[in-house]
Amino acid sequence: MYTCVSLLLLLMGRGVLSQEVEVCSKTVINSCSDCIRSGAYCTWCKQLNFTKPGEQEAARCDTRAQLEERGCKEKDIISPQNTLTVTKNTALSTDAFVKDEPIQLRPQEVNLKLRPGLPRTFKLDFRRVEGYPVDLYYLMDLSYSMEDDLRSIKTLGNELFKALQGITKQGRIGFGSFVDKTVLPFTNTNPEKLKKPCAEKEQFCQPAFGYRHVLSMTENEADFKKEVDKQRISGNLDSPEGTLDAIMQAAVCGDRIGWRNSSTRLIVLTTDDGFHMAGDGKLAGILEPNDERCYMDNKLYTKSNDMDYPSVGQVATQLEKNNIQPIFAVTKNMEKVYRELSRMIPKSEVGVLSEDSKNVVELIQAAYNRLSSKVTVTHDALPDNVRVTYTPLCPGGGPAGDKGVCDNVKVGDLVSFNVTVTADECIDREMSFLIGPLGIKDKLKVSLSTRCECECDDPKEEEHKDCDRKGKVNCGMCSCKAGFVGQRCECSIGEKDESSLRAACRKDNGTECEGRGDCVCGICQCYALQGGSTYYGTHCECENESCEKFQNKLCGGNGKCRCKNCECNPEYEGTACQCKKSDEQCRTPSGSVCSGRGTCQCNQCKCIEGYQRPFCLTCPACQTPCITKGKCIECLGFQTGPFSKNCSQTCKSINEFEMVETLPPGKPCDVRDVENCRVFFTIKQLDGEDNYTAQILKTRECPELPNIYAIIGGSIAAVALIGLVILLIIKALFYLNDLKEFRRFENEQKKGKWMPGDNPLFMNATTTVANPTFTGE
């Protein structure tokens, strides 16, 4: 409230009227509550008989200045204001050892009652106490590539505890490890490989696993060293690890991890690889989304192979919800990846590990100092239509926004923030939300409700005289008894249904009397306008003061306003009677108006669709008549084509054509007719939308007919010749093959060596007989 008052005083001191700041944008107002809900600066006058006869009751709703100007008394103005009640405001602690739960934030609880649209600002103080308890959970990647890092951690346990003691005397440390889901393609599922996923030469290798909680928070250095010494390296197939699975379980399994209620909670994650995200589980057929719940049995994450990896948003939400601040201690090659991750997780830090992780202690100290020196105040989920902004009051200042940030804050320093809460709309019931620094348990609880009802302190009379003794007064208006309606309960509806009477006052089932009159016994009594005239019409839908103006004159001074429309004098036209009737600028050189393709309005052509001003001569988007009128040209010039039987009717848009020996210079149109001849023509559009004249060339350009006999004879001769050539080729192949066989036979015969002799079994086919007595003489 004091912010609004101081702003008003400042503006008034500068001579600026308050109504320039306070504006009441009224909607449909039927009651005081409607008025209060319509705007932050709307006020209601409950004064009896404040409205004049015929004036709507909505006139009671306006800014305070306007109502006072119209005579409403101060005591009768209803304007609910914001209220702030601090219900818990314990002083800030200066020493963490004074109490089990030191107070770092003030106040702790407030109750706000807000007027919709009117902001309320209050101050929030924070002081980080010295020696505040710290819970550090060391979460380590135990994939095979981290073997040398594991050896270093086993030797650095003492230094870790010393570093923690340097931060606070109430420090505790826990330990957890992770690799990846034990399913393909993330891990080799061969039974032998599941038992020993490391290389064969590695003797100390534990079976594959997803996430394992090793040691709950402890102050005992020996317990930490003992459990870490038991750890063995493991392995998987792909490079990304199940990092987000491990962070999620460490965040939501608070009772298993051992997080204290009042402590700074840190997760130190060491790894040399990237991480799997939501959706990667589909590669292994895991479709169930991560439900952000704890699944720990015998210190092992049991839903690793059944539930997908969480998303970065889910992890960020749970870390913020459980006030956990992660420190990503990663190798140099992964620095960029985890810095991008850190941008999406509020209150987180990234440090670069050395090759063997021996610098992890210094890295944790540096990251913790950066985290603790930065105070970021924000809120959890807000009710609908509620806004919260922060203005830092730290030494260095800071921009206002949905978070308040102060940097370089030392232990014991007091930093403050102006918190501004605005409810844009009414809230049905009281709701609450939390405000506080990220990573810190201390929170401010804000209980919020809205002030949307009027407290008018009305007279107790049930039959008030101003309500014709037939009703009582409610915030200056009459609330009538059953059977009576009207502004003063003057209408007796008798046996009639009130809803049917009111329905008669609604046009098209809309607002009663268009919101411009009162419905009295089913008849609209219209209100008066500021200019002295009144609304009129069956439903008060008409008035004569809001017609279009020209040169700041209603209907340009050249007509009369009738029911929101101008009725122009005979010699004028236009929506505001701004134009003298004339078509001088619309006439073409031929004397037509807008080429017959439009109307002349205000001495300018209004062309039909597609045609362009000034005279509607051209239509760039229309199809050219060379295409659309081609069939008609064929029909008119040569009596052929699809329109030849009804040419005069179908092609009457070409009202004149001429057959010519030659066409005028220029590129003519051409179209092919049914005989595939090219018909050349020129066409010109006359006044009117579909009115043309054409010149058609008498001579068509037809292709020569082919010689059928030559084609047939040539085809037969070609077939015969091709057949003869094929036969010759086949004969030649046979001949060459026979010649080759004969030559081979001759060569084999030459190689053979035969012995001369007679075959004793051979008998000659001829027998020679000699006559012994024959002498030859």
Side-chain angles (χ1 to χ4, degrees):
M1 179 177 175
Y2 68 86
T3 304
C4 298
V5 172
S6 60
L7 177 61
L8 291 174
L9 290 173
L10 176 62
L11 291 171
M12 292 174 69
R14 293 181 178 179
V16 180
L17 294 177
S18 60
Q19 69 183 59
E20 294 180 5
V21 177
E22 297 184 0
V23 177
C24 177
S25 301
K26 294 180 286 186
T27 54
V28 178
I29 306 297
N30 294 316
S31 65
C32 179
S33 295
D34 290 342
C35 177
I36 299 305
R37 293 166 185 260
S38 64
Y41 298 105
C42 289
T43 58
W44 180 264
C45 181
K46 68 171 185 175
Q47 185 174 310
L48 293 174
N49 300 318
F50 177 72
T51 54
K52 299 175 182 178
E55 188 177 19
Q56 57 183 330
E57 292 288 0
R60 295 178 178 273
C61 182
D62 214 323
T63 61
R64 179 182 293 272
Q66 287 291 328
L67 291 179
E68 289 178 346
E69 185 178 332
R70 292 172 52 206
C72 187
K73 299 175 182 178
E74 175 68 26
K75 66 182 181 64
D76 292 326
I77 293 178
I78 306 298
S79 179
Q81 297 299 310
N82 295 334
T83 61
L84 170 68
T85 305
V86 179
T87 55
K88 188 176 180 181
N89 194 26
T90 309
L92 299 178
S93 303
T94 57
D95 191 340
F97 301 101
V98 173
K99 296 181 180 180
D100 292 336
E101 294 190 11
I103 305 300
Q104 301 183 100
L105 195 70
R106 182 182 62 189
Q108 292 82 44
E109 290 184 18
V110 298
N111 189 301
L112 275 175
K113 290 186 177 181
L114 299 182
R115 170 86 181 269
L118 196 63
R120 181 66 165 91
T121 301
F122 60 90
K123 189 177 180 184
L124 181 68
D125 296 326
F126 175 78
R127 178 188 286 132
R128 184 72 178 259
V129 299
E130 188 173 0
Y132 194 73
V134 175
D135 287 341
L136 187 150
Y137 190 68
Y138 199 95
L139 189 56
M140 186 170 187
D141 175 8
L142 286 188
S143 58
Y144 189 70
S145 56
M146 292 287 288
E147 183 183 15
D148 55 341
D149 303 86
L150 178 60
R151 286 197 298 267
S152 296
I153 295 302
K154 290 180 179 180
T155 62
L156 291 174
N158 186 40
E159 293 186 31
L160 270 174
F161 268 90
K162 284 183 179 178
L164 200 57
Q165 290 297 318
I167 296 172
T168 177
K169 299 299 182 183
Q170 299 187 62
R172 300 194 307 169
I173 194 167
F175 190 85
S177 59
F178 67 94
V179 183
D180 209 345
K181 297 183 183 296
T182 56
V183 290
L184 281 173
F186 311 125
T187 303
N188 192 334
T189 55
N190 183 293
E192 294 298 324
K193 280 293 184 181
L194 284 175
K195 291 180 182 178
K196 186 181 179 182
C198 311
E200 291 297 328
K201 63 180 181 179
E202 181 62 42
Q203 296 181 359
F204 303 103
C205 180
Q206 65 173 313
F209 66 97
Y211 161 70
R212 177 179 286 115
H213 170 56
V214 177
L215 177 67
S216 298
M217 294 295 173
T218 180
E219 299 174 354
N220 193 314
E221 180 181 345
D223 289 346
F224 178 79
K225 189 175 188 323
K226 176 183 175 183
E227 292 298 329
V228 173
D229 284 342
K230 292 179 184 178
Q231 299 307 302
R232 298 291 181 265
I233 211 70
S234 187
N236 61 328
L237 286 177
D238 60 345
S239 293
E241 318 293 4
T243 310
L244 299 188
D245 264 346
I247 297 176
M248 177 62 75
Q249 290 301 301
V252 299
C253 297
D255 56 336
R256 310 293 180 87
I257 305 299
W259 300 114
R260 287 176 287 186
N261 287 333
S262 297
S263 66
T264 297
R265 301 175 178 182
L266 303 176
I267 288 181
V268 177
L269 183 135
T270 58
T271 183
D272 63 348
D273 263 318
F275 49 87
H276 283 295
M277 296 182 292
D280 288 354
K282 292 181 181 179
L283 297 173
I286 302 173
L287 303 179
E288 183 179 353
N290 195 287
D291 62 5
E292 304 179 36
R293 295 170 61 185
C294 178
Y295 294 99
M296 197 85 73
D297 187 12
N298 196 23
K299 295 188 175 183
L300 195 66
Y301 176 34
T302 57
K303 288 282 188 177
S304 179
N305 295 344
D306 302 325
M307 197 172 287
D308 196 6
Y309 301 96
S311 67
V312 174
Q314 287 178 303
V315 170
T317 299
Q318 287 300 329
L319 289 174
E320 184 175 345
K321 180 179 177 181
N322 292 282
N323 301 310
I324 298 172
Q325 305 173 62
I327 298 173
F328 301 112
V330 298
T331 51
K332 183 65 178 177
N333 62 315
M334 286 290 111
E335 181 184 5
K336 185 176 180 181
V337 173
Y338 280 88
R339 289 207 182 277
E340 290 297 322
L341 177 62
S342 178
R343 289 191 182 96
M344 293 182 276
I345 298 180
K347 204 71 173 169
S348 61
E349 282 292 334
V350 178
V352 179
L353 286 169
S354 59
E355 292 184 2
D356 55 2
S357 297
K358 286 187 176 180
N359 69 330
V360 69
V361 177
E362 295 84 355
L363 186 152
I364 293 172
Q365 286 178 316
Y368 173 78
N369 290 335
R370 290 194 297 271
L371 286 172
S372 60
S373 65
K374 183 177 181 180
V375 179
T376 303
V377 174
T378 187
H379 47 264
D380 62 1
L382 295 173
D384 291 339
N385 301 308
V386 174
R387 294 176 286 119
V388 179
T389 57
Y390 303 88
T391 303
L393 302 178
C394 40
D402 59 355
K403 290 181 181 179
V405 180
C406 280
D407 287 319
N408 302 317
V409 178
K410 298 177 182 178
V411 173
D413 285 354
L414 178 67
V415 292
S416 300
F417 302 86
N418 277 340
V419 183
T420 302
V421 183
T422 308
D424 294 321
E425 294 182 5
C426 293
I427 301 173
D428 296 334
R429 55 188 175 84
E430 183 175 281
M431 307 186 78
S432 63
F433 59 93
L434 299 177
I435 293 176
L438 291 176
I440 302 296
K441 175 183 176 293
D442 300 66
K443 302 294 179 186
L444 162 66
K445 181 181 178 181
V446 179
S447 298
L448 178 65
S449 59
T450 50
R451 306 191 67 183
C452 297
E453 302 298 329
C454 297
E455 298 174 1
C456 294
D457 191 23
D458 296 310
K460 302 298 183 183
E461 297 177 57
E462 293 292 331
E463 297 178 352
H464 200 276
K465 62 178 181 178
D466 288 314
C467 299
D468 203 20
R469 303 292 182 183
K470 296 173 181 127
K472 62 180 181 179
V473 174
N474 183 8
C475 288
M477 296 172 60
C478 286
S479 177
C480 304
K481 293 180 179 180
F484 295 93
V485 293
Q487 193 171 3
R488 297 288 181 266
C489 304
E490 67 274 17
C491 178
S492 174
I493 62 175
E495 296 179 356
K496 295 181 182 179
D497 181 20
E498 182 180 356
S499 61
S500 63
L501 286 175
R502 292 191 175 277
C505 295
R506 297 190 185 101
K507 182 181 180 181
D508 299 327
N509 214 17
T511 307
E512 283 186 11
C513 303
E514 300 292 307
R516 299 166 177 170
D518 293 323
C519 184
V520 180
C521 297
I523 300 173
C524 286
Q525 292 185 355
C526 302
Y527 299 140
L529 287 153
Q530 291 183 355
S533 63
T534 60
Y535 294 103
Y536 65 95
T538 306
H539 301 95
C540 305
E541 69 273 15
C542 292
E543 47 86 12
N544 298 336
E545 292 187 4
S546 62
C547 289
E548 190 175 340
K549 292 184 177 182
F550 178 69
Q551 293 181 346
N552 206 28
K553 294 180 181 179
L554 205 64
C555 297
N558 303 314
K560 295 181 179 180
C561 182
R562 300 290 185 193
C563 198
K564 304 179 186 178
N565 292 312
C566 286
E567 293 182 359
C568 302
N569 296 335
E571 65 273 19
Y572 288 91
E573 63 180 348
T575 56
C577 303
Q578 72 273 26
C579 307
K580 274 193 173 183
K581 285 185 177 179
S582 172
D583 59 6
E584 182 180 350
Q585 300 297 324
C586 298
R587 290 195 175 275
T588 63
S590 64
S592 66
V593 176
C594 301
S595 305
R597 294 186 281 275
T599 58
C600 189
Q601 296 181 6
C602 283
N603 212 12
Q604 284 190 338
C605 284
K606 185 177 181 180
C607 304
I608 61 176
E609 186 176 0
Y611 287 89
Q612 292 184 336
R613 290 192 296 182
F615 300 115
C616 310
L617 287 173
T618 60
C619 180
C622 299
Q623 276 193 312
T624 172
C626 287
I627 299 173
T628 59
K629 303 301 179 183
K631 296 187 184 301
C632 282
I633 293 296
E634 179 185 355
C635 164
L636 294 170
F638 303 97
Q639 294 77 47
T640 60
F643 298 158
S644 59
K645 293 182 180 181
N646 195 21
C647 190
S648 59
Q649 290 297 320
T650 308
C651 300
K652 61 183 179 181
S653 60
I654 303 178
N655 56 29
E656 183 181 343
F657 72 95
E658 179 184 4
M659 303 297 294
V660 297
E661 296 292 341
T662 59
L663 293 174
K667 186 178 180 180
C669 303
D670 70 275
V671 64
R672 289 194 179 273
D673 61 12
V674 292
E675 297 176 358
N676 204 28
C677 295
R678 293 178 70 187
V679 178
F680 296 92
F681 65 97
T682 59
I683 190 166
K684 180 180 179 182
Q685 188 173 16
L686 304 176
D687 290 340
E689 186 176 354
D690 194 17
N691 189 19
Y692 297 89
T693 180
Q695 288 184 328
I696 306 171
L697 191 65
K698 292 180 179 180
T699 307
R700 297 182 299 170
E701 185 180 286
C702 298
E704 294 183 3
L705 294 176
N707 190 334
I708 302 299
Y709 299 105
I711 292 173
I712 294 174
S715 299
I716 294 172
V719 171
L721 180 61
I722 291 171
L724 180 62
V725 170
I726 292 173
L727 289 174
L728 290 174
I729 291 172
I730 293 172
K731 182 66 177 174
L733 291 174
F734 280 135
Y735 174 78
L736 291 174
N737 186 58
D738 290 345
L739 182 63
K740 180 180 177 183
E741 290 294 326
F742 179 72
R743 294 280 172 82
R744 185 169 64 80
F745 171 74
E746 284 185 334
N747 290 335
E748 289 179 353
Q749 190 177 31
K750 289 178 182 179
K751 292 178 182 178
K753 295 181 180 181
W754 305 96
M755 294 292 295
D758 293 329
N759 186 351
L761 300 178
F762 175 74
M763 294 188 67
N764 202 327
T766 60
T767 304
T768 304
V769 180
N771 189 352
T773 61
F774 180 69
T775 59
E777 292 182 1

